[in-house]
Amino acid sequence: MAEHETDDARPEPEAPAPGGRVLAAVAGAVPVVLGAAAAWLSLRLDIGTLTDPGPGLWPLIVSALLVLTGAGILASVRRVEGTEAFTRGAIGVAAAAVGLFVYASLFEVIGFEIPSVLLLTAWLRFLGRESWLSTALLSVGVTAAAYALFILTLRVPLPHLIAL
Amino acid sequence: MDLSPVLTGFSVVFEPQNLLFCLLGVTIGMLIGVLPGLGPAATIAILLPITYNLEPVAAVIMLAGIFYGAQYGGTITSVLLKLPGEASTVVTAIDGHQLAKRGEAGSALGVAAIASFIGGTASIILLSLVAPALAGVALAFGPAEYTVLALIGIFLVGTLGSGSLIKSAAAAGAGLLLATVGLDPLLGTPRFTFGTDQLADGIDFVIVAMGLFGVGEILYNLEHRDRPQAAVPAFGRAIPSRVQWLRSRLAILRGSVVGFVLGILPGGGATMSSLVAYAVEKRSAKDPSRFGKGAIEGVAGPEAANNAAATSSFIPLLTLGIPANATMAVLFGALMLQGITPGPALMTEHPDVFWGVVNSMYLGNLLLLALSIPLIGVFVRMLKIRPGILAPITIVITMLGVYSIRNNAFDMVLAVALGLVGYAMRKLGFEPGPFVLAFVLGSLLEGSFRRSMRIFGGDVTEFVQRPLSATLVGVLVLTVVIIPVLRVVRARQVVRAAEPAEP
Amino acid sequence: MNPRPFTRRGLLAGAAAAPVAALAACNGVQGGADAAEDDFPTRAIDFTVPFDAGGSSDLLSRAVCLAAEEPLGQSIALANKPGANGAVGLKELVSGDADGYTLALAVKSLFAITPLVVDDPDAVAIDDFRIIATLTNEAYVLVVHADSPYQSLEDLVAAPSLNYGTAGVGTGGQLSLALLFGLAGTEATDVPFDGGAPAVTALLGQEIDVVSGSLAETMPQIEAGALRPLTVFSEERNVFLQDAPTATEAGYPVVVDQRRMVVAPSEVSDTVAGALVLAFEEARQDPDYQAFLQDNYMDVWEVDDVEARAHLSEAAELYAQNVADVGLALGDGS
């Protein structure tokens, strides 16, 4: 009985807007481009033969599969659904990703504590719109809890500043 | 069969010290299972020094507990947060997370825990009865058999998707392509490594799963953070309803058998088991369209299978000394450090270790079931936390987990990059499931195929000349060609039969 | 096991050493460092295992570090950082501080065999390191299945065609068999697996005819009677396998082995290196460590930095020469 409730058990807050023809075409173009690029790189490796394959053969086959499926998606642009339009929120996604890259690059240099507090602060305050107080409490609290759990309890060799 | 060593094994388990370490092991296992990215192999390696001063039996009981305990814990994050930490829980995440979104997280996890318990326990019973006889099964599988098995797996990946088939195929293709990154398995030629030896050994599966599923999902939700949040659905109970139980019953049984059999194969059998179990359930269901949208059988079958496989993957280690996966390799090391060589002689030379470990798993599974039910109640409350708070906490823990795989910050960069890929895939209507599983099976397929060709001297027909691989080729043809064709034919007949009745 | 703290060691040590440093400054050269180094080590040492947990390098590292903690008077924190036959972890070691607080395990094959397979302009070389302690010399043994028709090396090389399994490209097992069959003119196909265990599994299942692997990988199966050793690729017979003749005895001068050692970055000061060398020398005498070697069929290799260095560069030249003589292309060639 449960599965009959799938769609109407609770109202979807606001269904994401479908992506339309352009995004559907992008969905087909990406595999084609990716496959073509990989095929070009594979061809620069030794292909060998089917009975004695070189390093390039299998990547080439997979690239061909990608190009074919991509072409298939392009051919049915009108029918294939499931894409979603990008919204202004995508800027937040890009910012978050940049933040995570910075996090990863600082991690081994200055240990995990400061980057973790900074990352949590940025996400909580600017992406999550928490108050400054709860942001401060949470980011320090979570970092301390992670320290206790990973470093003190599980002894995971994470780079860290504070030696206890 | 002489039962006395088995009974001695039980008396070993019930020594207070061993009971304690069993409890400790499964608790740690469950904990690290819940923490995304932190896997049992890394944890056991980290905890090895603690075991130096323990009795060998106690040490191995504890470490084994971490391994199968992590299987239970991993389900929780897969279902609640769509963060599968192991290849075997990727499948669970698909329907499990849908159930959670619908407010049935409690009962989905309840079914998963019960399925895990039954799968694990059934597998131990089978292991105790037939382990020595089954050791040979692992050896019967050569590169040729793995080639066909991987090929079956890749076609089964197609059944995972609930959307467009061609998009699933494209996602699987991308997964296969990513799997070729690294040194060529036979020739050592760098492929798509762009000159860095960080990529020489390829990309760890966990990073791919964490990136595409976990980070991708978080980034996706971030875009829509301004959208009014859905009312938090009721969580339901950890005890499944009668209907759910009736639906899951047979799925659990089938999953247990599938998992036990495939888990014996050291080269990727455990990964295949949950996939095969899912495919079996979807194909045998009256209404396959429910799958991917929250079918409880899609959780029960694969969960029973991956726990049964986790248990039977001890068979090659304990009977042949062959570690079936990274975790088993570390356990192998733990035994070696204790001065015990796992191998053909283990059962006769160290029956207390063999039966002690095997029998401790009965207890361990029981403890895990007892731990799971109340813990589920605690963990589902996580969903009540505002996404604005839950997301950053999840991302930090995921990043720390990813780092711990190889103690390498480069892997964190990879996980974020793959997270962006996962986000873009979601926007463009591709599903991550086929990508991730094709990634796992891709290197198995390529490596096994090329090894086979070398062994066969380039003769492809040998695949159908060896009895076992020929049988598997038969299974492949049956599932990929014959059954779908029959379905189409039958569907047409139904349509034709129905037509005259139309007014 | 201790975590690895990123303490501001430079500052702390500098502050502590300041008065002494003023005196020591007239010695020129290393200034204040000497004073701080005299009581080296003052905190935990980080030890990188550039391989996966559970393998031979990992187990050996754990055993020797455990034994070295007492003579050092500090704990040693072990972390696995696998990748590219140890290159990932060792490159990091080289790029880090050369203060003696970071050590790693290194293997001979990375310096002697990997360059024959992988063409990496940034590859680490033995000159980037100071060898603190040489540890083991592990022989490669050629094994066939117990039911195999081949009873001796002569039988084997006379076979019309063979498939041989190895633990992967650029491993000593691959090199040893490629050289043997190259010298003997046997038509043999190389089947590299993803590690030693899958290769042994395939041999147990008789998918392939022969494997060359380490004793740790093969001895349990040899003792169980499942595999038969035909030859070892060492200069002298192996202590654990007295009955197996060397390949050289049988007329094929193929000597390939794996050796493991503890290394520090090359710029580490003499004082610090001296303290480490002494500690590891003592560790090698530890009865538990020696029992570990015995249990894992590892032969000792205990020489000084100069001799070890000479051995590694000679081996690299010898292998390159051997490969050229036989006309082999390991892997894809380079």
Side-chain angles (χ1 to χ4, degrees):
Chain A
M1 32 187 211
E3 64 278 7
H4 298 306
E5 299 162 13
T6 320
D7 292 329
D8 47 18
R10 65 191 159 93
E12 268 300 306
E14 189 184 308
R21 201 78 74 76
V22 177
L23 272 192
V26 170
V30 171
V32 172
V33 171
L34 183 66
W40 184 69
L41 287 171
S42 312
L43 284 169
R44 294 167 59 184
L45 298 163
D46 183 21
I47 299 297
T49 61
L50 186 65
T51 51
D52 183 20
L57 181 67
W58 173 244
L60 189 66
I61 294 172
V62 174
S63 310
L65 174 74
L66 268 174
V67 173
L68 283 178
T69 51
I73 296 168
L74 280 176
S76 54
V77 159
R78 254 174 260 174
R79 278 183 293 118
V80 173
E81 293 160 356
T83 60
E84 274 179 32
F86 284 90
T87 64
R88 273 175 50 206
I91 300 166
V93 175
V98 170
L100 288 171
F101 283 126
V102 173
Y103 181 75
S105 60
L106 289 177
F107 197 80
E108 281 188 331
V109 185
I110 56 170
F112 96 101
E113 298 96 331
I114 298 172
S116 298
V117 172
L118 291 179
L119 183 77
L120 285 164
T121 305
W123 279 53
L124 289 166
R125 177 68 199 155
F126 303 112
L127 298 174
R129 312 233 169 83
E130 293 296 317
S131 71
W132 273 115
L133 180 67
S134 64
T135 296
L137 288 178
L138 273 169
S139 46
V140 174
V142 169
T143 306
Y147 189 97
L149 183 62
F150 282 86
I151 293 173
L152 299 181
T153 312
L154 293 172
R155 309 256 159 176
V156 179
L158 298 177
H160 55 281
L161 273 178
I162 303 162
L164 287 183
Chain B
M1 165 175 182
D2 180 16
L3 280 176
S4 62
V6 186
L7 296 176
T8 318
F10 274 111
S11 67
V12 169
V13 175
F14 286 107
E15 280 168 28
Q17 188 200 0
N18 295 341
L19 280 176
L20 183 70
F21 281 106
C22 186
L23 179 63
L24 196 63
V26 296
T27 313
I28 296 174
M30 188 126 181
L31 175 66
I32 57 133
V34 173
L35 295 173
L38 194 61
T43 311
I44 293 177
I46 289 161
L47 293 178
L48 268 185
I50 300 177
T51 65
Y52 293 158
N53 303 319
L54 295 182
E55 290 287 313
V57 186
V60 184
I61 285 177
M62 180 178 86
L63 298 179
I66 295 176
F67 173 59
Y68 56 82
Q71 311 283 329
Y72 278 75
T75 311
I76 296 180
T77 35
S78 295
V79 168
L80 296 182
L81 303 172
K82 209 177 176 187
L83 265 174
E86 294 270 330
S88 51
T89 55
V90 169
V91 176
T92 319
I94 297 172
D95 277 84
H97 190 61
Q98 290 299 327
L99 283 165
K101 274 188 168 170
R102 204 203 279 169
E104 295 176 47
S107 53
L109 288 172
V111 167
I114 294 169
S116 300
F117 173 74
I118 295 176
T121 307
S123 193
I124 310 163
I125 296 172
L126 289 170
L127 188 160
S128 315
L129 295 177
V130 292
L134 280 179
V137 174
L139 298 181
F141 267 70
E145 284 75 23
Y146 281 117
T147 307
V148 188
L149 195 66
L151 209 54
I152 295 174
I154 286 175
F155 280 107
L156 289 185
V157 162
T159 64
L160 283 180
S162 54
S164 136
L165 191 64
I166 196 159
K167 282 197 167 179
S168 290
L176 294 175
L177 186 64
L178 193 70
T180 65
V181 171
L183 300 185
D184 177 280
L186 273 80
L187 297 167
T189 318
R191 300 191 296 195
F192 312 119
T193 58
F194 307 101
T196 166
D197 49 19
Q198 298 279 9
L199 287 173
D201 293 350
I203 300 170
D204 193 282
F205 160 78
V206 180
I207 298 165
V208 179
M210 289 293 126
L212 285 181
F213 277 96
V215 182
E217 179 86 1
I218 288 173
L219 292 178
Y220 175 82
N221 290 333
L222 210 55
E223 175 175 355
H224 303 292
R225 65 189 187 280
D226 291 335
R227 206 188 277 168
Q229 293 300 326
V232 181
F235 296 123
R237 327 171 279 168
I239 311 295
S241 68
R242 220 178 90 84
V243 176
Q244 281 177 321
W245 173 243
L246 288 177
R247 280 227 166 92
S248 316
R249 220 172 29 176
L250 289 174
I252 292 173
L253 281 182
R254 285 188 288 257
S256 305
V257 175
V258 166
F260 178 77
V261 173
L262 287 172
I264 302 169
L265 307 176
T271 311
M272 285 285 298
S273 70
S274 59
L275 187 56
V276 171
Y278 188 86
V280 166
E281 291 317 314
K282 188 169 177 179
R283 294 245 164 126
S284 62
K286 284 202 191 96
D287 177 15
S289 70
R290 286 194 297 117
F291 282 75
K293 294 171 191 149
I296 193 74
E297 305 97 299
V299 173
E303 274 305 300
N306 67 34
N307 276 270
T311 306
S312 62
S313 65
F314 278 90
I315 293 178
L317 181 78
L318 296 176
T319 59
L320 296 169
I322 299 165
N325 51 45
T327 315
M328 289 296 142
V330 189
L331 266 174
F332 182 93
L335 282 163
M336 296 293 281
L337 285 173
Q338 295 276 359
I340 293 172
T341 309
L346 181 72
M347 236 171 132
T348 44
E349 281 178 12
H350 299 282
D352 56 324
V353 173
F354 184 93
W355 291 110
V357 173
V358 170
N359 292 344
S360 77
M361 293 195 242
Y362 288 110
L363 182 71
N365 273 287
L366 206 59
L367 288 173
L368 282 165
L369 185 64
L371 280 174
S372 296
I373 300 296
L375 270 181
I376 289 168
V378 175
F379 274 106
V380 287
R381 295 219 168 90
M382 268 189 342
L383 293 182
K384 277 199 174 158
I385 303 172
R386 268 198 304 272
I389 294 174
L390 187 60
I393 297 175
T394 313
I395 203 95
V396 165
I397 293 175
T398 304
M399 286 289 126
L400 299 183
V402 164
Y403 180 83
S404 76
I405 299 166
R406 295 198 304 168
N407 294 312
N408 197 328
F410 179 79
D411 291 346
M412 297 161 80
V413 175
L414 274 179
V416 180
L418 285 164
L420 283 172
V421 172
Y423 162 74
M425 281 172 66
R426 180 94 187 251
K427 297 298 283 186
L428 296 176
F430 294 97
E431 292 173 26
F435 184 114
V436 171
L437 287 165
F439 173 82
V440 181
L441 295 169
S443 33
L444 182 64
L445 176 63
E446 188 200 3
S448 307
F449 175 73
R450 289 173 60 187
R451 275 173 211 124
S452 306
M453 291 321 281
R454 289 216 173 169
I455 291 171
F456 297 161
D459 183 2
V460 188
T461 60
E462 292 235 16
F463 279 108
V464 288
Q465 288 173 19
R466 297 163 53 105
L468 191 52
S469 71
T471 312
L472 287 168
V473 170
V475 173
L476 177 67
V477 172
L478 190 73
T479 52
V480 176
V481 185
I482 297 179
I483 292 180
V485 168
L486 281 180
R487 269 204 191 166
V488 171
V489 171
R490 201 180 301 156
R492 289 222 176 118
Q493 281 171 344
V494 170
V495 170
R496 213 172 292 151
E499 265 165 6
E502 303 264 327
Chain C
M1 193 161 108
N2 271 5
R4 22 173 188 180
F6 267 64
T7 46
R8 306 284 84 198
R9 203 196 73 86
L11 288 177
L12 289 177
V20 198
L23 292 174
C26 17
N27 293 343
V29 212
Q30 279 167 335
D34 276 350
E37 282 169 357
D38 279 342
D39 45 307
F40 173 90
T42 54
R43 61 179 169 90
I45 286 175
D46 293 326
F47 193 100
T48 303
V49 182
F51 295 91
D52 280 315
S56 291
S57 288
D58 179 61
L59 298 180
L60 178 66
S61 302
R62 290 175 192 277
V64 77
C65 287
L66 195 64
E69 285 186 345
E70 203 182 289
L72 272 175
Q74 289 291 340
S75 61
I76 303 180
L78 219 105
N80 300 81
K81 186 150 196 169
N85 196 23
V88 171
L90 288 175
K91 277 183 188 174
E92 190 184 73
L93 178 79
V94 171
S95 65
D97 288 344
D99 56 8
Y101 287 97
T102 52
L103 302 175
L105 192 88
V107 296
K108 173 177 169 181
S109 63
L110 178 65
F111 305 113
I113 304 180
T114 305
L116 302 174
V117 184
V118 184
D119 189 17
D120 178 7
D122 306 319
V124 286
I126 192 62
D127 291 338
D128 296 329
F129 302 100
R130 177 136 179 173
I131 299 171
I132 299 297
T134 54
L135 301 175
T136 59
N137 174 359
E138 294 151 59
Y140 284 97
V141 56
L142 183 157
V143 284
V144 294
H145 193 275
D147 298 339
S148 158
Y150 311 114
Q151 299 294 333
S152 68
L153 191 56
E154 286 72 30
D155 288 354
L156 186 74
V157 295
S161 81
L162 289 173
N163 292 315
Y164 64 93
T166 61
V169 189
T171 57
Q174 188 197 29
L175 178 68
S176 62
L177 289 180
L179 289 176
L180 172 73
F181 294 131
L183 284 174
T186 311
E187 190 194 314
T189 311
D190 170 24
V191 187
F193 285 81
D194 186 17
V200 170
T201 310
L203 183 62
L204 288 171
Q206 293 182 283
E207 302 286 339
I208 46 180
D209 301 306
V210 51
V211 160
S212 167
S214 72
L215 287 178
E217 284 159 4
T218 52
M219 272 309 266
Q221 308 295 345
I222 293 173
E223 285 176 343
L227 298 180
R228 180 165 57 239
L230 295 187
T231 192
V232 288
F233 294 102
S234 45
E235 275 167 40
E236 285 159 28
R237 290 199 178 198
N238 189 275
V239 284
F240 300 100
L241 272 178
Q242 290 289 355
D243 293 338
T246 65
T248 313
E249 277 176 58
Y252 303 102
V254 179
V255 178
V256 179
D257 52 31
Q258 176 69 301
R259 300 188 185 210
R260 300 183 214 261
M261 65 213 100
V262 178
V263 296
S266 60
E267 301 86 28
V268 71
S269 78
D270 290 342
T271 324
V272 167
L276 287 168
V277 168
L278 283 178
F280 276 93
E281 266 174 13
E282 210 176 318
R284 292 192 304 214
Q285 303 308 314
D286 181 81
D288 284 342
Y289 172 70
Q290 292 183 340
F292 167 83
L293 295 184
Q294 193 74 22
D295 287 345
N296 287 275
Y297 315 102
M298 291 173 173
D299 210 351
V300 293
W301 177 47
E302 299 179 350
V303 300
D304 64 12
D305 176 275
V306 179
E307 199 177 321
R309 210 168 274 283
H311 171 83
L312 291 172
S313 50
E314 277 163 24
E317 277 171 37
L318 178 72
Y319 291 164
Q321 188 61 47
N322 284 342
V323 166
D325 288 348
V326 181
L328 278 181
L330 278 187
D332 213 21
S334 56

